[in-house]
Amino acid sequence: MTASAPSSICIFRLSALGDVTHVVPVVRRLRAAWPRVPITWIVGKVEHKLVGDLPDVEFIPFDKRAGWSGIRALRAALGGRKFGVLLHMQLSLRANFLAALVRAERRIGYDRERSKELHGLVVEERIRHRPRQHVLDALGSFVEPLGLEPGEPRWDIPIPDDAEAFAQEHLPGDQRTLVISPCSSRRWRNWSAERYAAVADHAVQRHGFRVLLCGGRSALEQETGEAIIRAMRTPVTNLIGKDTFKQMLAVLRRASVVLSPDTGPMHCANAVGTTVVGVHAATASWRSGPYSDRRYCVDRFEEAAMRFKGRLPADLRWGERVELPGAMDLVTVDDVVAAFDRYVADAEGPGAPVSER
């Protein structure tokens, strides 16, 4: 298929933070191919704070908590326009209902194997089904029906100078830094505070790292941060609930390495080029780990699927998780310490010390 420019493009992807980060390379690819084609992105109000300053993109923020008034606001913002193409990148029932408000000549959505919650009723064309596909690759493939190849992902999410100054203030100098983003909004993706603390103490005592905690303002995140601090034997800087999304990006970019389960900050760290030690059992690293480099992920998803669902990952639906009590406990402290030590050895080169744990 030849890539003829559409009259306009509407991207529909509200959330979550990590998935919105994955959409940015799609925007970059479309803009590189068609510099003058108008691009509109319907995005969540919260997520807009992260990506809303991308250049040459019109954003329509949608407030998911606003109920019917939010729907009316979306309809008013669309103003009856008809787009050349709708890229409908979200599968939830609410997203499918809202996408029906968008008028477009072409409506591109997910393949039948991944479709759910009436998605097929609001799309007319579908991306190609590929098993065992990372979420970013799935989203990237939305350009293929338009005659484009996804290409290498490029993010370049803007970080303002005041955010850079914030990061410099809290991470001065050039000491190696481990940033821990301990919490997903989905409780059963999270590792225990005591295990994070054990890895953090190891990073400080064995390798001379400093440690910083980051996260949002929810009670779960605040409580987890406090529990990590109580369990640690070494100093830690706690920024949980104290930074903005842009400040978080700047902090993640200054970090040497980030330790995290499957969370938005994991994918933000990847987007700014920082190595991630990923902790996976509730989700699979091949599907939702740090896209650019998964060498240091600890992945017990197959074991979790067998133990808690009695099935191999290949027998689960695409996107099916093992978000159940006990799943993340399959990842041990020794597992993550070993992954962290491999990162340190690779960063330092031959002859770097390796833990004897």
Side-chain angles (χ1 to χ4, degrees), residues 63-351:
D63 187 350
K64 291 174 280 188
R65 298 182 178 182
W68 286 106
S69 66
I71 296 172
R72 289 192 295 269
L74 173 60
R75 187 191 296 272
L78 289 169
R81 283 180 287 173
K82 188 171 186 178
F83 296 92
V85 175
L86 168 66
L87 302 181
H88 181 19
M89 297 178 165
Q90 197 148 354
L91 290 166
S92 70
L93 184 61
R94 173 173 56 189
N96 292 327
F97 171 77
L98 294 172
L101 302 177
V102 182
R103 299 173 64 234
E105 296 170 12
R106 298 177 64 185
R107 309 178 66 85
I108 300 171
Y110 280 94
D111 50 276
R112 288 182 173 82
E113 289 83 354
R114 285 179 277 203
S115 291
K116 61 181 181 179
E117 299 192 359
L118 307 181
H119 185 75
L121 297 180
V122 294
V123 300
E124 297 163 350
E125 302 175 57
R126 297 176 182 271
I127 63 172
R128 177 182 169 189
H129 173 64
R130 295 179 175 93
R132 286 185 65 89
Q133 191 175 37
H134 193 281
V135 174
L136 187 147
D137 287 325
L139 294 169
S141 68
F142 271 79
V143 305
E144 292 177 339
L146 302 178
L148 302 177
E149 294 295 327
E152 284 297 314
R154 183 171 71 87
W155 289 270
D156 296 332
I157 301 172
I159 302 177
D161 290 343
D162 60 348
E164 297 282 16
F166 176 90
Q168 175 68 33
E169 175 187 353
H170 291 282
L171 293 177
D174 58 1
Q175 183 180 359
R176 293 185 299 179
T177 303
L178 168 64
V179 169
I180 300 177
S181 176
C183 283
S184 164
S185 59
R186 306 176 72 96
R187 178 181 291 271
W188 302 119
R189 288 188 193 181
N190 296 336
W191 210 35
S192 76
E194 293 74 21
R195 296 185 186 193
Y196 282 122
V199 177
D201 282 333
H202 172 81
V204 175
Q205 295 171 336
R206 177 76 177 187
H207 297 293
F209 277 63
R210 61 184 169 189
V211 178
L212 182 147
L213 306 179
C214 75
R217 293 168 172 77
S218 71
L220 173 62
E221 290 166 290
Q222 301 276 1
E223 292 164 4
T224 301
E226 291 167 4
I228 292 171
I229 293 168
R230 288 196 300 270
M232 285 184 65
R233 301 188 300 272
T234 53
V236 59
T237 299
N238 183 14
L239 289 185
I240 292 177
K242 299 174 184 176
D243 58 0
T244 66
F245 284 157
K246 293 297 190 180
Q247 290 168 342
M248 174 195 70
L249 273 185
V251 166
L252 294 174
R253 187 159 69 177
R254 282 190 65 81
S256 308
V257 61
V258 172
L259 171 61
S260 178
D262 181 3
T263 66
M266 164 187 279
H267 303 297
C268 289
N270 179 81
V272 297
T274 300
T275 300
V276 177
V277 175
V279 184
H280 294 266
T283 62
S285 61
W286 58 261
R287 180 187 179 273
S288 56
Y291 181 81
S292 301
D293 187 353
R294 296 189 285 278
R295 288 176 296 167
Y296 308 109
C297 287
V298 178
D299 192 328
R300 296 286 179 261
F301 182 70
E302 180 172 340
E303 184 179 347
M306 288 297 298
R307 180 174 299 191
F308 293 95
K309 298 206 169 188
R311 289 177 288 169
L312 289 169
D315 299 321
L316 301 178
R317 299 186 313 275
W318 186 84
E320 186 173 352
R321 309 173 182 98
V322 189
E323 293 178 344
L324 296 167
M328 290 295 289
D329 293 339
L330 296 174
V331 179
T332 68
V333 170
D334 286 348
D335 289 335
V336 178
V337 163
F340 182 81
D341 285 348
R342 284 192 290 107
Y343 157 75
V344 172
D346 289 345
E348 294 180 344

